[in-house]
Amino acid sequence: MAQSAVDEVSETGAFTRSASSFRNIISRDPNSSFPAEPGRYHLYISYACPWASRCLSYLKIKGLDNAISFSAVKPKWERTKATDEHMGWVFAASDSEEPGAAPDHLNGAKSIRELYELASISYSGKYTVPVLWDKKLKTIVNNESSDIIRMFNAEFNHLAENPALDLYPPHLQAQINEINEWVYDGINNGVYKCGFAKKQGPYDEAAKQLYEALDKSEKILSKQRYLCGNTLSEADIRLFVTLIRFDEVYVVHFKCNKKMLREYPNLFNYTKDIYQIPGMSSTVNMEHIKRHYYGSHPSINPYGIIPLGPGIDYSSPHDRGRFSS
Protein backbone atom coordinates (compact mmCIF):
# COMPACT_ATOMS: atom_id res chain seq x y z
CA MET A 1 0.00 0.00 0.00
CA ALA A 2 1.39 3.39 -1.00
CA GLN A 3 2.08 5.76 1.89
CA SER A 4 2.55 8.91 -0.23
CA ALA A 5 1.74 10.07 -3.74
CA VAL A 6 5.32 9.51 -4.91
CA ASP A 7 4.78 5.75 -4.43
CA GLU A 8 1.66 5.56 -6.60
CA VAL A 9 3.29 4.62 -9.89
CA SER A 10 2.16 1.53 -11.81
CA GLU A 11 4.35 -0.98 -13.67
CA THR A 12 3.70 1.00 -16.86
CA GLY A 13 5.43 4.01 -15.27
CA ALA A 14 2.20 6.01 -14.96
CA PHE A 15 1.09 7.84 -11.82
CA THR A 16 -2.26 6.54 -10.49
CA ARG A 17 -3.76 8.35 -7.47
CA SER A 18 -5.65 6.21 -4.95
CA ALA A 19 -8.97 7.23 -3.39
CA SER A 20 -9.32 8.86 0.03
CA SER A 21 -10.33 6.64 2.95
CA PHE A 22 -12.33 8.75 5.43
CA ARG A 23 -15.59 9.91 3.88
CA ASN A 24 -17.93 10.86 6.73
CA ILE A 25 -20.15 13.90 6.16
CA ILE A 26 -20.88 16.79 8.50
CA SER A 27 -24.51 17.89 8.32
CA ARG A 28 -26.52 20.87 9.50
CA ASP A 29 -28.94 18.25 10.91
CA PRO A 30 -28.35 18.37 14.69
CA ASN A 31 -29.20 14.66 14.95
CA SER A 32 -26.51 13.53 12.49
CA SER A 33 -23.40 11.64 13.61
CA PHE A 34 -21.32 14.72 12.77
CA PRO A 35 -23.48 17.82 13.27
CA ALA A 36 -22.22 21.23 12.15
CA GLU A 37 -21.40 22.72 15.55
CA PRO A 38 -19.21 25.75 16.27
CA GLY A 39 -15.72 24.94 17.52
CA ARG A 40 -16.07 21.16 17.13
CA TYR A 41 -13.94 20.66 14.02
CA HIS A 42 -10.34 21.41 13.08
CA LEU A 43 -8.82 21.46 9.61
CA TYR A 44 -5.24 20.25 9.29
CA ILE A 45 -3.59 21.51 6.10
CA SER A 46 -0.34 22.05 4.31
CA TYR A 47 -0.03 25.37 2.50
CA ALA A 48 1.98 23.44 -0.10
CA CYS A 49 -0.79 20.97 -0.93
CA PRO A 50 -3.33 22.11 -3.55
CA TRP A 51 -6.02 19.73 -2.25
CA ALA A 52 -5.68 21.07 1.30
CA SER A 53 -5.46 24.65 0.05
CA ARG A 54 -8.82 24.48 -1.67
CA CYS A 55 -10.38 23.55 1.69
CA LEU A 56 -8.65 26.49 3.37
CA SER A 57 -9.89 28.71 0.52
CA TYR A 58 -13.47 27.77 1.35
CA LEU A 59 -12.93 28.31 5.06
CA LYS A 60 -11.65 31.82 4.32
CA ILE A 61 -14.07 33.03 1.64
CA LYS A 62 -17.12 31.59 3.40
CA GLY A 63 -16.01 33.28 6.64
CA LEU A 64 -15.78 30.17 8.79
CA ASP A 65 -12.72 31.22 10.79
CA ASN A 66 -14.70 31.51 14.02
CA ALA A 67 -16.49 28.18 13.53
CA ILE A 68 -13.67 25.91 12.34
CA SER A 69 -10.06 26.18 13.48
CA PHE A 70 -7.12 25.23 11.28
CA SER A 71 -3.39 24.71 11.47
CA ALA A 72 -0.61 23.96 9.00
CA VAL A 73 2.21 21.41 9.00
CA LYS A 74 5.81 22.11 8.02
CA PRO A 75 6.35 22.33 4.26
CA LYS A 76 9.12 19.77 3.79
CA TRP A 77 8.49 16.07 4.35
CA GLU A 78 10.44 14.48 7.19
CA ARG A 79 10.66 11.05 8.80
CA THR A 80 7.34 10.32 10.53
CA LYS A 81 8.53 7.42 12.65
CA ALA A 82 11.94 6.20 13.81
CA THR A 83 11.09 2.57 13.03
CA ASP A 84 10.61 2.93 9.25
CA GLU A 85 11.61 5.06 6.30
CA HIS A 86 8.28 6.84 5.63
CA MET A 87 8.62 10.53 4.77
CA GLY A 88 5.59 12.74 5.22
CA TRP A 89 3.91 15.75 6.80
CA VAL A 90 5.17 16.70 10.28
CA PHE A 91 4.19 19.38 12.75
CA ALA A 92 6.47 22.15 13.95
CA ALA A 93 8.04 21.54 17.36
CA SER A 94 7.08 25.04 18.51
CA ASP A 95 5.09 28.04 17.31
CA SER A 96 8.33 29.83 16.40
CA GLU A 97 10.20 27.01 14.62
CA GLU A 98 8.68 27.51 11.17
CA PRO A 99 6.74 30.60 10.04
CA GLY A 100 3.27 29.52 8.95
CA ALA A 101 3.50 26.10 10.63
CA ALA A 102 2.38 25.14 14.13
CA PRO A 103 2.58 22.27 16.59
CA ASP A 104 -0.45 20.03 17.02
CA HIS A 105 -2.00 21.70 20.05
CA LEU A 106 -5.07 19.43 19.93
CA ASN A 107 -3.56 15.96 20.12
CA GLY A 108 0.15 16.48 20.61
CA ALA A 109 0.87 14.51 17.43
CA LYS A 110 4.28 14.85 15.82
CA SER A 111 3.02 14.03 12.33
CA ILE A 112 -0.13 13.69 10.23
CA ARG A 113 0.59 9.95 10.28
CA GLU A 114 -0.01 9.91 14.04
CA LEU A 115 -3.48 11.41 13.51
CA TYR A 116 -4.38 8.60 11.12
CA GLU A 117 -3.12 6.05 13.63
CA LEU A 118 -5.15 7.72 16.39
CA ALA A 119 -8.26 7.52 14.21
CA SER A 120 -7.69 3.92 13.10
CA ILE A 121 -5.13 1.52 14.58
CA SER A 122 -5.40 -0.68 11.47
CA TYR A 123 -5.00 2.11 8.91
CA SER A 124 -2.55 1.20 6.13
CA GLY A 125 -3.11 3.87 3.44
CA LYS A 126 -1.56 7.25 2.65
CA TYR A 127 -1.11 9.89 5.35
CA THR A 128 -2.47 12.85 3.43
CA VAL A 129 -3.79 16.34 4.03
CA PRO A 130 -6.36 17.79 4.32
CA VAL A 131 -7.60 16.16 7.50
CA LEU A 132 -10.91 17.34 8.94
CA TRP A 133 -10.75 16.38 12.61
CA ASP A 134 -13.56 15.99 15.14
CA LYS A 135 -12.31 17.37 18.48
CA LYS A 136 -15.24 15.81 20.36
CA LEU A 137 -14.87 12.24 19.08
CA LYS A 138 -11.11 12.56 18.51
CA THR A 139 -11.21 11.09 15.04
CA ILE A 140 -10.89 11.94 11.36
CA VAL A 141 -14.21 12.93 9.85
CA ASN A 142 -13.03 13.23 6.26
CA ASN A 143 -9.79 13.45 4.28
CA GLU A 144 -11.28 14.01 0.82
CA SER A 145 -11.04 17.65 -0.21
CA SER A 146 -13.94 17.45 -2.68
CA ASP A 147 -16.23 16.38 0.19
CA ILE A 148 -14.85 18.96 2.62
CA ILE A 149 -15.40 21.93 0.31
CA ARG A 150 -19.02 20.88 -0.27
CA MET A 151 -19.57 20.68 3.50
CA PHE A 152 -17.97 24.08 4.05
CA ASN A 153 -20.12 25.51 1.27
CA ALA A 154 -23.51 24.35 2.56
CA GLU A 155 -23.54 22.81 6.02
CA PHE A 156 -22.10 25.65 8.12
CA ASN A 157 -24.08 28.58 6.72
CA HIS A 158 -25.68 29.27 10.12
CA LEU A 159 -22.14 29.91 11.41
CA ALA A 160 -20.61 31.56 8.33
CA GLU A 161 -19.89 35.26 7.94
CA ASN A 162 -20.62 34.95 4.23
CA PRO A 163 -23.57 32.51 4.09
CA ALA A 164 -25.00 33.96 0.87
CA LEU A 165 -21.98 32.81 -1.12
CA ASP A 166 -22.98 29.54 -2.77
CA LEU A 167 -20.19 28.04 -4.87
CA TYR A 168 -22.29 25.00 -5.84
CA PRO A 169 -25.74 26.44 -6.65
CA PRO A 170 -28.38 23.97 -7.91
CA HIS A 171 -28.67 25.53 -11.36
CA LEU A 172 -24.91 25.17 -12.00
CA GLN A 173 -24.27 21.77 -10.41
CA ALA A 174 -24.37 19.71 -13.60
CA GLN A 175 -22.05 22.18 -15.36
CA ILE A 176 -19.66 22.31 -12.38
CA ASN A 177 -19.51 18.51 -12.19
CA GLU A 178 -18.72 18.24 -15.88
CA ILE A 179 -15.97 20.88 -15.70
CA ASN A 180 -14.51 19.35 -12.53
CA GLU A 181 -14.10 16.03 -14.30
CA TRP A 182 -11.87 17.23 -17.11
CA VAL A 183 -10.07 19.85 -14.99
CA TYR A 184 -9.19 17.21 -12.39
CA ASP A 185 -8.02 14.60 -14.86
CA GLY A 186 -6.18 16.94 -17.21
CA ILE A 187 -4.91 19.72 -14.91
CA ASN A 188 -5.22 19.15 -11.13
CA ASN A 189 -4.04 15.55 -11.31
CA GLY A 190 -2.51 16.04 -14.75
CA VAL A 191 0.51 17.94 -13.46
CA TYR A 192 1.19 15.07 -11.04
CA LYS A 193 0.87 12.53 -13.85
CA CYS A 194 3.54 14.51 -15.69
CA GLY A 195 5.80 14.94 -12.67
CA PHE A 196 5.66 11.45 -11.22
CA ALA A 197 5.77 9.52 -14.51
CA LYS A 198 8.71 7.14 -14.65
CA LYS A 199 8.54 6.36 -18.36
CA GLN A 200 8.38 8.59 -21.43
CA GLY A 201 5.08 7.27 -22.79
CA PRO A 202 2.94 8.05 -19.73
CA TYR A 203 4.61 11.48 -19.44
CA ASP A 204 3.92 12.29 -23.09
CA GLU A 205 0.26 11.30 -22.74
CA ALA A 206 -0.20 13.26 -19.51
CA ALA A 207 1.46 16.37 -20.96
CA LYS A 208 -0.75 16.17 -24.04
CA GLN A 209 -3.89 15.96 -21.89
CA LEU A 210 -2.65 18.77 -19.63
CA TYR A 211 -2.15 21.26 -22.44
CA GLU A 212 -5.39 20.29 -24.17
CA ALA A 213 -7.20 21.08 -20.91
CA LEU A 214 -5.30 24.35 -20.40
CA ASP A 215 -6.08 25.39 -23.98
CA LYS A 216 -9.75 24.55 -23.40
CA SER A 217 -9.77 26.63 -20.20
CA GLU A 218 -8.10 29.55 -21.96
CA LYS A 219 -10.75 29.49 -24.69
CA ILE A 220 -13.63 29.43 -22.17
CA LEU A 221 -12.09 32.29 -20.19
CA SER A 222 -11.67 34.41 -23.31
CA LYS A 223 -15.47 34.76 -23.35
CA GLN A 224 -16.46 34.99 -19.66
CA ARG A 225 -15.00 35.87 -16.29
CA TYR A 226 -15.25 32.40 -14.70
CA LEU A 227 -15.55 28.80 -15.84
CA CYS A 228 -19.34 28.68 -15.42
CA GLY A 229 -20.12 32.14 -16.73
CA ASN A 230 -19.79 35.36 -14.77
CA THR A 231 -20.39 33.74 -11.37
CA LEU A 232 -17.56 32.39 -9.19
CA SER A 233 -18.06 28.68 -8.49
CA GLU A 234 -16.45 25.59 -7.02
CA ALA A 235 -14.91 24.84 -10.41
CA ASP A 236 -12.86 28.05 -10.21
CA ILE A 237 -11.42 27.34 -6.76
CA ARG A 238 -10.47 23.82 -7.85
CA LEU A 239 -8.67 25.13 -10.93
CA PHE A 240 -7.04 28.06 -9.14
CA VAL A 241 -5.02 25.96 -6.68
CA THR A 242 -3.17 24.30 -9.57
CA LEU A 243 -2.72 27.48 -11.62
CA ILE A 244 -1.18 29.42 -8.71
CA ARG A 245 1.54 26.74 -8.44
CA PHE A 246 2.09 26.30 -12.17
CA ASP A 247 4.89 28.69 -13.11
CA GLU A 248 6.57 28.59 -9.69
CA VAL A 249 6.72 24.78 -9.44
CA TYR A 250 5.10 22.63 -12.10
CA VAL A 251 6.87 24.17 -15.11
CA VAL A 252 10.26 23.16 -13.67
CA HIS A 253 9.70 20.40 -11.12
CA PHE A 254 7.00 18.45 -13.00
CA LYS A 255 8.35 19.18 -16.51
CA CYS A 256 5.20 21.09 -17.58
CA ASN A 257 7.24 23.45 -19.72
CA LYS A 258 5.54 23.44 -23.11
CA LYS A 259 3.85 26.70 -22.17
CA MET A 260 3.84 28.75 -18.96
CA LEU A 261 0.75 30.19 -17.30
CA ARG A 262 2.02 33.68 -18.13
CA GLU A 263 1.76 32.77 -21.83
CA TYR A 264 -2.00 32.29 -21.46
CA PRO A 265 -3.37 35.85 -21.13
CA ASN A 266 -6.84 34.83 -19.96
CA LEU A 267 -5.73 32.12 -17.53
CA PHE A 268 -3.01 34.35 -16.08
CA ASN A 269 -5.34 37.30 -15.47
CA TYR A 270 -8.03 34.91 -14.17
CA THR A 271 -5.55 33.55 -11.61
CA LYS A 272 -4.79 37.08 -10.43
CA ASP A 273 -8.52 37.83 -10.26
CA ILE A 274 -9.23 34.89 -7.96
CA TYR A 275 -6.11 35.52 -5.87
CA GLN A 276 -7.45 39.01 -5.17
CA ILE A 277 -10.82 37.79 -3.81
CA PRO A 278 -10.83 38.80 -0.11
CA GLY A 279 -9.34 35.97 1.92
CA MET A 280 -7.78 34.05 -0.96
CA SER A 281 -4.28 35.52 -0.84
CA SER A 282 -3.89 34.32 2.77
CA THR A 283 -4.22 30.74 1.55
CA VAL A 284 -1.17 31.03 -0.74
CA ASN A 285 2.19 30.64 1.00
CA MET A 286 4.62 30.43 -1.90
CA GLU A 287 7.61 29.80 0.34
CA HIS A 288 5.91 26.69 1.75
CA ILE A 289 4.84 25.62 -1.74
CA LYS A 290 8.33 25.82 -3.22
CA ARG A 291 10.11 24.36 -0.19
CA HIS A 292 7.78 21.36 -0.21
CA TYR A 293 7.92 20.37 -3.85
CA TYR A 294 11.59 21.04 -4.46
CA GLY A 295 12.63 19.61 -1.08
CA SER A 296 10.38 16.57 -0.63
CA HIS A 297 10.83 14.59 -3.86
CA PRO A 298 14.49 13.46 -4.01
CA SER A 299 13.72 11.08 -6.88
CA ILE A 300 12.92 14.19 -8.98
CA ASN A 301 15.21 16.79 -7.38
CA PRO A 302 17.92 14.88 -5.46
CA TYR A 303 19.83 17.91 -4.21
CA GLY A 304 16.75 19.86 -3.13
CA ILE A 305 17.77 23.02 -4.98
CA ILE A 306 14.96 25.62 -5.00
CA PRO A 307 14.84 27.81 -8.14
CA LEU A 308 15.02 31.56 -7.55
CA GLY A 309 12.11 32.63 -9.71
CA PRO A 310 9.85 33.65 -11.15
CA GLY A 311 8.36 35.48 -8.14
CA ILE A 312 5.11 36.52 -9.81
CA ASP A 313 3.07 39.30 -8.21
CA TYR A 314 -0.50 38.01 -8.32
CA SER A 315 -1.73 41.16 -6.60
CA SER A 316 -0.93 43.23 -9.69
CA PRO A 317 -3.81 44.55 -11.83
CA HIS A 318 -5.78 42.16 -14.05
CA ASP A 319 -8.19 42.66 -16.92
CA ARG A 320 -11.08 40.41 -15.84
CA GLY A 321 -13.23 43.38 -14.94
CA ARG A 322 -14.09 43.64 -18.61
CA PHE A 323 -16.67 40.93 -17.97
CA SER A 324 -19.77 41.70 -15.95
CA SER A 325 -19.72 39.97 -12.57
PDB file of all heavy atoms in Angstrom, residues 10-30:
ATOM      1  N   SER A  10       2.421   2.895 -11.369  1.00  0.00           N
ATOM      2  CA  SER A  10       2.158   1.529 -11.809  1.00  0.00           C
ATOM      3  C   SER A  10       3.357   0.952 -12.556  1.00  0.00           C
ATOM      4  O   SER A  10       4.352   1.645 -12.817  1.00  0.00           O
ATOM      5  CB  SER A  10       0.932   1.508 -12.722  1.00  0.00           C
ATOM      6  OG  SER A  10       1.230   2.153 -13.958  1.00  0.00           O
ATOM      7  N   GLU A  11       3.266  -0.322 -12.933  1.00  0.00           N
ATOM      8  CA  GLU A  11       4.345  -0.978 -13.672  1.00  0.00           C
ATOM      9  C   GLU A  11       4.561  -0.346 -15.047  1.00  0.00           C
ATOM     10  O   GLU A  11       5.628  -0.484 -15.635  1.00  0.00           O
ATOM     11  CB  GLU A  11       4.040  -2.472 -13.820  1.00  0.00           C
ATOM     12  CG  GLU A  11       4.100  -3.231 -12.490  1.00  0.00           C
ATOM     13  CD  GLU A  11       3.820  -4.710 -12.667  1.00  0.00           C
ATOM     14  OE1 GLU A  11       3.659  -5.147 -13.815  1.00  0.00           O
ATOM     15  OE2 GLU A  11       3.767  -5.418 -11.644  1.00  0.00           O
ATOM     16  N   THR A  12       3.557   0.328 -15.561  1.00  0.00           N
ATOM     17  CA  THR A  12       3.700   1.002 -16.861  1.00  0.00           C
ATOM     18  C   THR A  12       4.465   2.313 -16.755  1.00  0.00           C
ATOM     19  O   THR A  12       4.765   2.947 -17.754  1.00  0.00           O
ATOM     20  CB  THR A  12       2.321   1.293 -17.482  1.00  0.00           C
ATOM     21  OG1 THR A  12       1.627   2.274 -16.677  1.00  0.00           O
ATOM     22  CG2 THR A  12       1.487   0.033 -17.582  1.00  0.00           C
ATOM     23  N   GLY A  13       4.744   2.745 -15.495  1.00  0.00           N
ATOM     24  CA  GLY A  13       5.433   4.009 -15.272  1.00  0.00           C
ATOM     25  C   GLY A  13       4.510   5.188 -15.134  1.00  0.00           C
ATOM     26  O   GLY A  13       4.948   6.345 -15.063  1.00  0.00           O
ATOM     27  N   ALA A  14       3.188   4.932 -15.059  1.00  0.00           N
ATOM     28  CA  ALA A  14       2.201   6.012 -14.960  1.00  0.00           C
ATOM     29  C   ALA A  14       1.785   6.231 -13.514  1.00  0.00           C
ATOM     30  O   ALA A  14       1.660   5.277 -12.731  1.00  0.00           O
ATOM     31  CB  ALA A  14       0.971   5.675 -15.805  1.00  0.00           C
ATOM     32  N   PHE A  15       1.564   7.491 -13.156  1.00  0.00           N
ATOM     33  CA  PHE A  15       1.086   7.840 -11.817  1.00  0.00           C
ATOM     34  C   PHE A  15      -0.414   7.590 -11.728  1.00  0.00           C
ATOM     35  O   PHE A  15      -1.180   8.024 -12.586  1.00  0.00           O
ATOM     36  CB  PHE A  15       1.386   9.314 -11.528  1.00  0.00           C
ATOM     37  CG  PHE A  15       0.750   9.836 -10.262  1.00  0.00           C
ATOM     38  CD1 PHE A  15       1.163   9.387  -9.024  1.00  0.00           C
ATOM     39  CD2 PHE A  15      -0.267  10.782 -10.322  1.00  0.00           C
ATOM     40  CE1 PHE A  15       0.582   9.863  -7.862  1.00  0.00           C
ATOM     41  CE2 PHE A  15      -0.860  11.272  -9.164  1.00  0.00           C
ATOM     42  CZ  PHE A  15      -0.423  10.805  -7.936  1.00  0.00           C
ATOM     43  N   THR A  16      -0.845   6.860 -10.682  1.00  0.00           N
ATOM     44  CA  THR A  16      -2.257   6.545 -10.488  1.00  0.00           C
ATOM     45  C   THR A  16      -2.630   6.844  -9.040  1.00  0.00           C
ATOM     46  O   THR A  16      -2.228   6.143  -8.120  1.00  0.00           O
ATOM     47  CB  THR A  16      -2.539   5.056 -10.796  1.00  0.00           C
ATOM     48  OG1 THR A  16      -2.051   4.746 -12.097  1.00  0.00           O
ATOM     49  CG2 THR A  16      -4.028   4.769 -10.725  1.00  0.00           C
ATOM     50  N   ARG A  17      -3.420   7.915  -8.835  1.00  0.00           N
ATOM     51  CA  ARG A  17      -3.757   8.348  -7.474  1.00  0.00           C
ATOM     52  C   ARG A  17      -4.853   7.459  -6.874  1.00  0.00           C
ATOM     53  O   ARG A  17      -5.865   7.183  -7.524  1.00  0.00           O
ATOM     54  CB  ARG A  17      -4.233   9.808  -7.505  1.00  0.00           C
ATOM     55  CG  ARG A  17      -4.415  10.424  -6.116  1.00  0.00           C
ATOM     56  CD  ARG A  17      -4.921  11.857  -6.245  1.00  0.00           C
ATOM     57  NE  ARG A  17      -3.978  12.722  -6.943  1.00  0.00           N
ATOM     58  CZ  ARG A  17      -2.944  13.320  -6.359  1.00  0.00           C
ATOM     59  NH1 ARG A  17      -2.719  13.130  -5.068  1.00  0.00           N
ATOM     60  NH2 ARG A  17      -2.152  14.104  -7.055  1.00  0.00           N
ATOM     61  N   SER A  18      -4.644   7.027  -5.632  1.00  0.00           N
ATOM     62  CA  SER A  18      -5.647   6.207  -4.952  1.00  0.00           C
ATOM     63  C   SER A  18      -6.700   7.084  -4.286  1.00  0.00           C
ATOM     64  O   SER A  18      -6.483   8.278  -4.048  1.00  0.00           O
ATOM     65  CB  SER A  18      -4.990   5.313  -3.897  1.00  0.00           C
ATOM     66  OG  SER A  18      -4.317   6.095  -2.922  1.00  0.00           O
ATOM     67  N   ALA A  19      -7.854   6.485  -3.977  1.00  0.00           N
ATOM     68  CA  ALA A  19      -8.969   7.227  -3.389  1.00  0.00           C
ATOM     69  C   ALA A  19      -8.725   7.508  -1.908  1.00  0.00           C
ATOM     70  O   ALA A  19      -7.968   6.807  -1.235  1.00  0.00           O
ATOM     71  CB  ALA A  19     -10.259   6.437  -3.556  1.00  0.00           C
ATOM     72  N   SER A  20      -9.383   8.540  -1.396  1.00  0.00           N
ATOM     73  CA  SER A  20      -9.321   8.855   0.032  1.00  0.00           C
ATOM     74  C   SER A  20     -10.106   7.830   0.833  1.00  0.00           C
ATOM     75  O   SER A  20     -11.005   7.156   0.315  1.00  0.00           O
ATOM     76  CB  SER A  20      -9.871  10.256   0.277  1.00  0.00           C
ATOM     77  OG  SER A  20      -9.139  11.224  -0.446  1.00  0.00           O
ATOM     78  N   SER A  21      -9.782   7.717   2.127  1.00  0.00           N
ATOM     79  CA  SER A  21     -10.334   6.637   2.951  1.00  0.00           C
ATOM     80  C   SER A  21     -11.431   7.067   3.917  1.00  0.00           C
ATOM     81  O   SER A  21     -12.323   6.279   4.228  1.00  0.00           O
ATOM     82  CB  SER A  21      -9.200   5.993   3.761  1.00  0.00           C
ATOM     83  OG  SER A  21      -8.174   5.536   2.912  1.00  0.00           O
ATOM     84  N   PHE A  22     -11.364   8.287   4.442  1.00  0.00           N
ATOM     85  CA  PHE A  22     -12.334   8.748   5.434  1.00  0.00           C
ATOM     86  C   PHE A  22     -13.350   9.643   4.747  1.00  0.00           C
ATOM     87  O   PHE A  22     -13.014  10.722   4.279  1.00  0.00           O
ATOM     88  CB  PHE A  22     -11.622   9.503   6.564  1.00  0.00           C
ATOM     89  CG  PHE A  22     -10.729   8.647   7.407  1.00  0.00           C
ATOM     90  CD1 PHE A  22      -9.415   8.397   7.031  1.00  0.00           C
ATOM     91  CD2 PHE A  22     -11.202   8.080   8.579  1.00  0.00           C
ATOM     92  CE1 PHE A  22      -8.580   7.600   7.809  1.00  0.00           C
ATOM     93  CE2 PHE A  22     -10.374   7.292   9.372  1.00  0.00           C
ATOM     94  CZ  PHE A  22      -9.062   7.047   8.980  1.00  0.00           C
ATOM     95  N   ARG A  23     -14.604   9.201   4.686  1.00  0.00           N
ATOM     96  CA  ARG A  23     -15.592   9.914   3.876  1.00  0.00           C
ATOM     97  C   ARG A  23     -16.881  10.214   4.654  1.00  0.00           C
ATOM     98  O   ARG A  23     -17.968  10.219   4.087  1.00  0.00           O
ATOM     99  CB  ARG A  23     -15.918   9.106   2.611  1.00  0.00           C
ATOM    100  CG  ARG A  23     -14.728   8.763   1.725  1.00  0.00           C
ATOM    101  CD  ARG A  23     -14.085   9.982   1.114  1.00  0.00           C
ATOM    102  NE  ARG A  23     -14.940  10.679   0.174  1.00  0.00           N
ATOM    103  CZ  ARG A  23     -14.972  10.413  -1.139  1.00  0.00           C
ATOM    104  NH1 ARG A  23     -14.220   9.452  -1.656  1.00  0.00           N
ATOM    105  NH2 ARG A  23     -15.759  11.112  -1.947  1.00  0.00           N
ATOM    106  N   ASN A  24     -16.760  10.462   5.956  1.00  0.00           N
ATOM    107  CA  ASN A  24     -17.933  10.857   6.731  1.00  0.00           C
ATOM    108  C   ASN A  24     -18.338  12.284   6.367  1.00  0.00           C
ATOM    109  O   ASN A  24     -17.511  13.092   5.942  1.00  0.00           O
ATOM    110  CB  ASN A  24     -17.649  10.766   8.236  1.00  0.00           C
ATOM    111  CG  ASN A  24     -17.356   9.349   8.673  1.00  0.00           C
ATOM    112  OD1 ASN A  24     -18.166   8.459   8.499  1.00  0.00           O
ATOM    113  ND2 ASN A  24     -16.179   9.140   9.240  1.00  0.00           N
ATOM    114  N   ILE A  25     -19.613  12.596   6.560  1.00  0.00           N
ATOM    115  CA  ILE A  25     -20.155  13.896   6.157  1.00  0.00           C
ATOM    116  C   ILE A  25     -20.719  14.640   7.360  1.00  0.00           C
ATOM    117  O   ILE A  25     -21.497  14.095   8.147  1.00  0.00           O
ATOM    118  CB  ILE A  25     -21.269  13.698   5.095  1.00  0.00           C
ATOM    119  CG1 ILE A  25     -20.699  13.009   3.843  1.00  0.00           C
ATOM    120  CG2 ILE A  25     -21.917  15.041   4.746  1.00  0.00           C
ATOM    121  CD1 ILE A  25     -19.632  13.800   3.113  1.00  0.00           C
ATOM    122  N   ILE A  26     -20.307  15.898   7.489  1.00  0.00           N
ATOM    123  CA  ILE A  26     -20.879  16.790   8.502  1.00  0.00           C
ATOM    124  C   ILE A  26     -22.169  17.364   7.934  1.00  0.00           C
ATOM    125  O   ILE A  26     -22.228  17.749   6.766  1.00  0.00           O
ATOM    126  CB  ILE A  26     -19.897  17.918   8.858  1.00  0.00           C
ATOM    127  CG1 ILE A  26     -18.630  17.339   9.498  1.00  0.00           C
ATOM    128  CG2 ILE A  26     -20.551  18.943   9.787  1.00  0.00           C
ATOM    129  CD1 ILE A  26     -17.515  18.351   9.673  1.00  0.00           C
ATOM    130  N   SER A  27     -23.202  17.420   8.776  1.00  0.00           N
ATOM    131  CA  SER A  27     -24.512  17.894   8.316  1.00  0.00           C
ATOM    132  C   SER A  27     -25.044  18.966   9.248  1.00  0.00           C
ATOM    133  O   SER A  27     -24.760  18.978  10.449  1.00  0.00           O
ATOM    134  CB  SER A  27     -25.496  16.710   8.269  1.00  0.00           C
ATOM    135  OG  SER A  27     -26.815  17.169   8.042  1.00  0.00           O
ATOM    136  N   ARG A  28     -25.847  19.856   8.683  1.00  0.00           N
ATOM    137  CA  ARG A  28     -26.517  20.869   9.505  1.00  0.00           C
ATOM    138  C   ARG A  28     -27.610  20.236  10.374  1.00  0.00           C
ATOM    139  O   ARG A  28     -28.140  20.886  11.273  1.00  0.00           O
ATOM    140  CB  ARG A  28     -27.101  21.951   8.607  1.00  0.00           C
ATOM    141  CG  ARG A  28     -28.327  21.550   7.820  1.00  0.00           C
ATOM    142  CD  ARG A  28     -28.651  22.498   6.702  1.00  0.00           C
ATOM    143  NE  ARG A  28     -27.939  22.116   5.503  1.00  0.00           N
ATOM    144  CZ  ARG A  28     -28.170  22.619   4.313  1.00  0.00           C
ATOM    145  NH1 ARG A  28     -29.067  23.555   4.153  1.00  0.00           N
ATOM    146  NH2 ARG A  28     -27.482  22.217   3.255  1.00  0.00           N
ATOM    147  N   ASP A  29     -27.964  18.980  10.102  1.00  0.00           N
ATOM    148  CA  ASP A  29     -28.943  18.248  10.907  1.00  0.00           C
ATOM    149  C   ASP A  29     -28.351  17.980  12.286  1.00  0.00           C
ATOM    150  O   ASP A  29     -27.357  17.256  12.411  1.00  0.00           O
ATOM    151  CB  ASP A  29     -29.293  16.922  10.220  1.00  0.00           C
ATOM    152  CG  ASP A  29     -30.303  16.090  11.012  1.00  0.00           C
ATOM    153  OD1 ASP A  29     -30.689  16.515  12.122  1.00  0.00           O
ATOM    154  OD2 ASP A  29     -30.672  15.007  10.525  1.00  0.00           O
ATOM    155  N   PRO A  30     -28.925  18.540  13.350  1.00  0.00           N
ATOM    156  CA  PRO A  30     -28.346  18.373  14.690  1.00  0.00           C
ATOM    157  C   PRO A  30     -28.353  16.930  15.178  1.00  0.00           C
ATOM    158  O   PRO A  30     -27.645  16.590  16.134  1.00  0.00           O
ATOM    159  CB  PRO A  30     -29.229  19.265  15.574  1.00  0.00           C
ATOM    160  CG  PRO A  30     -30.501  19.423  14.820  1.00  0.00           C
ATOM    161  CD  PRO A  30     -30.150  19.377  13.369  1.00  0.00           C
TER     162      PRO A  30
END
